[in-house]
Amino acid sequence: MVRLPGRSTARATPPAEDARARRAPGSTPAGNGARGGPGGAAPARTLRARAASLRSSLSAGSLAGQVFLLQVFIVLLLVVAAVVALVLQVRHDSTDESRNRSVAVAEAFANAPGTREALAAPDPTAVLQPRAEAARKATGVDFIVVMNTDGIRYTHPRPDRIGKKFVGDIAPALAGRPSTEEVDGTIGHLVQAVVPVEAPGGKVVGLVSAGITTDTVGGAADRQLPLVLLAAAAALALATSGTALVSRRLLRQTHGLGPHEMTRMYEHHDAVLHAVREGVIIISGEGRLLLANDEAQRLLDLPPDAEGRHARDLGLAPDTAELLASGRVATDEVHRVKDRLLAVNQRSTDVRGGPPGTVATVRDSTELRALSGRAEAARERLDMLYDAGVGIGTSLDVTRTAQELTDLAVPRFADFVTVDLFDSVLAGGTPEAVTPLRRVAFSGVRGDAPLYPLNQQIRYVDSAPQARTLRTGKPVLEAELAGAPGWKEQDLERSAQVMGYGIHSLITVPLRTGSLVLGVVSFWRAERPDPFDDDELALAEELVARAAVSIDNARRYTREHSMAVTLQRSLLPRRLPEQSALEIAYRYLPAQAGVGGDWFDVLPLSGARVALVVGDVVGHGLHAAATMGRLRTAVHNFSALDLPPEELLALLDELVGRIDQDEETEDGTAPVTGATCVYAVYDPVSRRCVIARAGHPPPAVVRPDGTVDFPDVPAGPPLGLGGLPFETAELELPEGSRLVLYTDGLVEDRERDIDEGLELLRRSLERAGRSPEDTCRAVLEARVPARQSDDVALIVARTRGLSADRVAEWGVPSDPASVGEVRAAVTRRLAGWGLDELAFTTELVLSELVTNAIRYGAEPIRVRMLFDRTLICEVHDGSSTSPHLRYAAMTDEGGRGLFLVSQLAERWGTRYTPDGKVIWAEQQLP
């Protein structure tokens, strides 16, 4: 509603509601207070307030007040008219009743028996007077007068009037006709009738007159008149109350406005309704059109006679007609009407007690929709570029990065997207134009598109858009493939299938970083009918440019990772050496994030012993791999010296410290090479294992009965810290035991600590099979995640023992004569082993070694032979002096013993023990 100047919005509140609003919180409604008590004043004040409010609202200045006064006046006029009509009707009825009664009484008396005879009697009065009075009283008339033809009265209620002339017109009666007339007599206004008394021949012989006053007849009506007036007053009060209620409702509807203001309001409403550039439609509760302004008729193209017709009969689109007829709430719901896009808003009109129905507004949003569509397209492109920056390049894998590009662009930008890269790019190399391309990524709204499949090598002809893109390094737009014959020459049959499939538009963009072109991206459109345009070409170029950076990063990483992996694989053992002491299985799993420094080795030692070593260099990358190679080489060299585990770790610790010093840069900083290591030596003869570790997780031992424990091996400091000694633990391992060495990547990661990892490792070892291979498989299946963050190196070694019948040992007195006895014992043992062919060389080797021990060593002296993969001869003495190989001159008498040993044996050497040394020599079995 238009609010007019000078009108307060308080008029919108009904008077009764105003009165209720002004009622005190503790007041009592009328009739509820105690009669005559203090609370009775509140209802009285409330009633007076309501009356005052009603009088104020119904003032003559408002339309409701004028209607109220007009209706009260009309009701009052009707009541007065009704009373007047009633009085007139009563008077008219009284006159008619008087006339009829007087005529009836007069005729009845004139025709009564004896009346005619009495007129002929000598004294008519004496006969007729009593009869007339009796008849008057019986009929209730005021008089019955009998007269002669001259009008002289024979009877009268007043005897003094007898004999006098009758007052009235008797001529009609003398002529034989009854007559009536109204006269004002001495008893008031009356109606009298005169009828003839006829003889048998029709001669008038006398006259009879009867009269009655109107007051006598109308007395009953007069008595009813107060009741009639009281009913009229009640009707007036009832009509006034009804009028007041109607006026009060009208007051609420008009908000107290006067006629002039109402006129101005509706003029404004009408002007606004038809002047606004927004259609307004009012629909009744039955779905019929009540009102449509000019703009609504124009936008909806309504017929001239639309008002009053049902919404479904207006010729609108089905969805629009259904919306208007349903009456449901709608907000900015877009409907197409011919070439327009209309935004429709619809609300109900009976929310606050209004009439049932709906009002709908219609706005032409065609241009706005076009503008918002362009803005929405720009926003979507920005969102796509943002998503490309976030979602492309989440990994350093070339193929996966390319697939992320295709997944992002489908279906937001294109219906099908393909990525073709040079083969050398997939391997991390520099792209070469002479090499073919390979399809590495494909995404589409459907999977049956007749495009080249994944992993297929492709060579594009010169006229193909992809070839032009690769040649020029610029994108190519083929808006209409049907009109671009160059691309069909690539494969005529496949091109026909592509066109038949519905693909009609193409954009090719080079994947380039700097001067390198890595491949080409193709965007295909099939589902959407509109072709690619220049704006979309720019978007595709920007999208591919962002993806090219990530793909190039993945290419560079692939190259560096391949180099590091190659270096690492070259530094790890390619195959395990042959030995009989342990049955070994191993696993090495590099980390997904990069090459690490985990390593392991199996080193055969003298005396059929085997050393197991597992190490872990801190960090990842080429530096860690190179450091791992240096440590592994050092362990090989140190193990050749047959050093005890604790001494070997001490030397490694010193080496790692020197590595840090050697790599110190000009600014005094250097990468810290920290490393951990565990070193174990197993002797199959004694079935004992000596273990030392430097900051490494403890080994696990699976006993032959399946129980698992983690031996208490002293935990030395990690390599490189220096200053602290390393300690060893000696374990007795029954034959068939499994020794498990591993790196921390197996038992520790970001989601669990090492204690939890060790417990889980225990469970997996308890459930594993008895062979080392089964054990490795069970451990990795249970512990290694799909994408581990650290390298994992694992060795499982099942122990074997060298049986006693393959070991021979003698004590040797410190006497040169005992050398012969030793040779004889050796010959007999070799014959028992079936090694007679080695008897000569073995006697010679042991003779030289025992002789040197007797001459240069100290007691006790022992000789031991081991029949393993080789024949091992050992001579132990109590001296720690190590013999040296020398080349004797032609004139020297001695110095040729160790030279002969080195020539006859496959290998030889010296190892130190806590109580001396052992000189050993190995010979190949025949």
Side-chain angles (χ1 to χ4, degrees), residues 223 310 398 573 591 642 760 777 798 818:
R223 289 191 300 270
H310 199 276
V398 174
D642 261 333
L760 294 176
R777 187 181 305 110
R798 186 167 64 178
S818 61

Side-chain angles (χ1 to χ4, degrees), residues 10 112 137 141 197 212 240 271 328 353 361 383 478 553 620 633 740 820-821 830 899:
K137 293 177 180 179
V141 298
V197 179
I212 186 172
T240 303
R328 63 180 175 85
T361 59
D383 289 345
E478 295 290 358
N553 290 338
H620 296 83
T633 302
V740 181
E821 298 177 1
L830 292 177
F899 177 77

Side-chain angles (χ1 to χ4, degrees), residues 399 402-403 406 416-423 426 436-443 449-460 466 490 494 498 506 508 520-524:
T399 302
Q403 188 64 41
T406 62
F416 301 95
V417 180
T418 59
V419 178
D420 305 323
L421 298 178
F422 291 106
D423 276 337
L426 299 176
L437 291 100
R438 184 177 298 275
R439 179 143 296 173
V440 298
F442 174 85
S443 289
L451 301 173
Y452 287 119
L454 281 174
N455 298 321
Q456 180 169 340
Q457 283 192 342
I458 306 172
R459 288 187 179 272
Y460 288 105
Q466 291 85 351
Q490 174 68 31
R494 188 179 294 274
V498 169
L506 169 66
T508 61
V520 61
V521 181
S522 302
F523 300 90
W524 312 80

Side-chain angles (χ1 to χ4, degrees), residues 806 808 826 829-830 833 835-839 841-843 845-846 864-874 905-907 920-926:
R806 287 177 171 261
V826 167
R829 174 57 65 181
L830 292 177
W833 288 342
L835 299 177
D836 295 327
E837 297 180 13
L838 297 178
T841 58
T842 302
E843 289 179 3
V845 168
L846 284 178
R864 189 176 68 166
M865 285 199 313
L866 305 177
F867 179 24
D868 194 25
R869 291 179 177 271
T870 59
L871 180 62
I872 303 172
C873 299
E874 297 179 344
E906 183 73 18
R907 295 191 310 150
W920 55 270
E922 292 185 5
Q923 302 178 70
Q924 291 291 337
L925 298 179

Side-chain angles (χ1 to χ4, degrees), residues 28 59 74 206 235 337 395 403 493 524 593 671 759 826:
T28 305
S59 62
I74 292 174
V337 178
S395 68
Q403 188 64 41
E493 182 179 357
W524 312 80
E759 181 60 28
V826 167

Side-chain angles (χ1 to χ4, degrees), residues 7 57-66 256-261:
R7 279 289 177 182
S57 301
L58 297 180
S59 62
S62 65
L63 178 63
Q66 294 183 12
L257 298 177
H260 178 65
E261 294 170 337

